[in-house]
Amino acid sequence: MKTRTPEEGFSALTDDAERNRLLAEMAEESTDMISRHTPEDWRFIYASPAVTHLLGYRVEEIVGMSAYDLYHPDDVEDFRLRAPTVTYDRGLYTHTYRFRCKDGHYTWLESTSRTIRDPETNEIREILVVSRDATHRIKADKANRRLARVLESTQDLVIFVNLDHTVSHLNEAARRALRLEQTDYSSFDVARFLTERGQELLSGEGFPGARKTGHWRGEVTMCSLDGTRIPVLLELLAHRSLHGDIEYFSIVAHDLTEKKAAEEQLKQYRADIDHASRLVTMGELASSLAHELNQPLSAMVNYLRGIERRFAGHESIAWRDVDVPITRSIRTALRAGEIIHRMMDFTRKQEPVITSLELPELISDMIEFCDSVADRNQVRVVQEVPSETPLVKGDRIQLEQVLLNLIVNAIEASESTDESPKTVRVTVAPHSEDQIRVSVEDQGPGVSEADMSQLFDRFFSTKQSGLGMGLAISRSLVENLGGELWANNLPEGGASFSFTLNIAD
């Protein structure tokens, strides 16, 4: 063994003293608390000045106290039994626990400790500990765990997406909905779970929008591995680092399946109500329509009976003798057929078909359709429609229903009991740059102030035998087409019902 010279020994002692001095200075200045403890009861032998900042004690106050007296009761046994909160690595123990401060409250500390042993006997002489404040980390960990529990328990589909648009994590709801419980999805592109239209929206609008503003929202349809289609309201979020760079994306998708089903059910319900309303309206017109059909049928009978009387007993007749009555009979039969065909079209149950419609033709047809009702009530129906009226957007049957309701109501409100007939006026005028206004004006008593506020409520009617559905359904149909329906009293007497329609592109 090589022995040191006196000069070498003195140099080593000088180096050790300098190193110890530097270590002592570091301990005195460190924000971490450095402490030394007895091995049996963990009494403080030494504590650095940081103890005042961390625990509120002065150095001379804490020296001699046992660390076991300051542990939170729930944590002291964890340390003694080396619970999962205590880790061991290459001779160093790391423990996270609650320690009582001088004012009585507990703070979270993370301590790393190691034993100092006698080199000759190997007995533990003391324990050296470095402790730091872990309150913020513990709170952050707790918050993250709470968020993770919420993430896994929510019924929304949550998907974390890498910068290359591959999936990094799915919550339980997403794994279940997309049929991925037993599948490794880590290499899947998020586009795999979207329809073609959804992929276009996400790539064309979603990711660019999220990169620019931090988020994007839209309705798309997702697809599970077995092909099940899931309509969702999707929100795409971009998550950035402290430096402002995007680290990853997250998707929160709210399943709209039940909502869409309810909307479809409501749509079907409204369609059924609308159809029922048309049937009721037709029932109210039944007597007038019967009269209207009776005229052509009676005319045909008269034509044919005339032929019978004229040519009874003749063995042969010339075509010129029967040409006129038979031609008139055919024309009259066709007229009756048109009336029946119009009734069938109006009462037929079918899906709305939005097309470009000629408003003057539609109004003329409905006025002609109401001729017999107007005659019976001694009312004259006139129209004032500009020749250059633009095409409007709408469903023909629905607009016929609206016009029929308003015209019949106006006729009945204007019923005349004297010899001078009253007039119902149907007018068309521009309403705005992209809308046309249709008004049906009557010469009735007008609408009382009390009735005006509930005029369009379902099941409210000013008629004794009315169901109170016509105006409510008419307003609903107009609003579905992007227009409005309202009523007001005219200064000269009577009421006006007006609605707007969008001009066709």
Side-chain angles (χ1 to χ4, degrees), residues 146-167:
R146 285 195 296 268
L147 289 174
R149 287 195 294 270
V150 171
L151 178 69
E152 289 302 318
S153 62
T154 182
Q155 295 305 303
D156 288 340
L157 284 63
V158 182
I159 305 173
F160 290 94
V161 183
N162 299 316
L163 294 180
D164 62 357
H165 299 175
T166 56
V167 174

Side-chain angles (χ1 to χ4, degrees), residues 225-240:
L225 282 190
D226 63 6
T228 303
R229 297 168 70 89
I230 310 166
V232 298
L233 175 62
L234 182 147
E235 185 159 8
L236 177 64
L237 304 172
H239 300 269
R240 297 182 181 274

Side-chain angles (χ1 to χ4, degrees), residues 386 388-390 427-438 499-501 503:
E388 300 299 324
T389 300
T427 64
V428 174
H431 184 72
S432 64
E433 290 184 1
D434 55 359
Q435 284 192 323
I436 289 290
R437 182 179 70 252
V438 180
F499 63 94
T500 54
L501 295 171
I503 296 173

Side-chain angles (χ1 to χ4, degrees), residues 282 289 292-293 296-297 300 329-348 361 364-366 368-371 396-397 400:
M282 195 54 62
L289 291 170
E292 189 168 344
L293 285 172
L297 292 175
M300 284 189 291
S329 295
I330 293 172
R331 191 184 304 123
T332 305
L334 290 174
R335 181 188 165 205
E338 287 175 1
I339 295 171
I340 295 172
H341 183 70
R342 186 182 299 165
M343 291 171 59
M344 293 174 63
D345 280 348
F346 184 73
T347 56
R348 185 178 293 120
E361 177 190 349
S364 295
D365 287 347
M366 285 300 97
E368 182 182 351
F369 195 54
C370 297
D371 275 348
R396 186 178 186 88
I397 298 299
E400 285 181 350

Side-chain angles (χ1 to χ4, degrees), residues 236-297:
L236 177 64
L237 304 172
H239 300 269
R240 297 182 181 274
S241 68
L242 293 176
H243 303 291
D245 300 325
I246 295 177
E247 293 184 315
Y248 62 94
F249 298 96
S250 67
I251 289 174
V252 180
H254 182 66
D255 191 341
L256 298 177
T257 302
E258 292 184 1
K259 180 175 180 288
K260 293 293 184 182
E263 288 177 352
E264 189 61 32
Q265 187 175 10
L266 179 60
K267 179 182 176 182
Q268 183 60 45
Y269 167 76
R270 285 177 173 170
D272 291 342
I273 291 294
D274 294 347
H275 181 231
S277 175
R278 290 198 296 275
L279 293 176
V280 169
T281 302
M282 195 54 62
E284 293 174 347
L285 294 173
S287 61
S288 299
L289 291 170
H291 175 71
E292 189 168 344
L293 285 172
N294 187 58
Q295 289 179 330
L297 292 175

Side-chain angles (χ1 to χ4, degrees), residues 6 57 77 127 140 146 161 174 206 229 236 280 303-304 323 325 352 390 398 409 435 454 473-475 502 504:
Y57 292 99
E77 288 302 313
I127 300 167
R146 285 195 296 268
V161 183
R229 297 168 70 89
L236 177 64
V280 169
Y303 292 142
L304 295 174
D323 180 14
Q398 290 183 344
N409 286 349
Q435 284 192 323
Q454 52 187 336
I473 289 174
S474 295
R475 171 174 275 186
N502 291 328

Side-chain angles (χ1 to χ4, degrees), residues 74 126 130 229 281 307 381 390 425 466 500:
D74 295 340
E126 61 182 60
V130 179
R229 297 168 70 89
T281 302
I307 295 174
V381 183
R425 197 176 307 276
T500 54

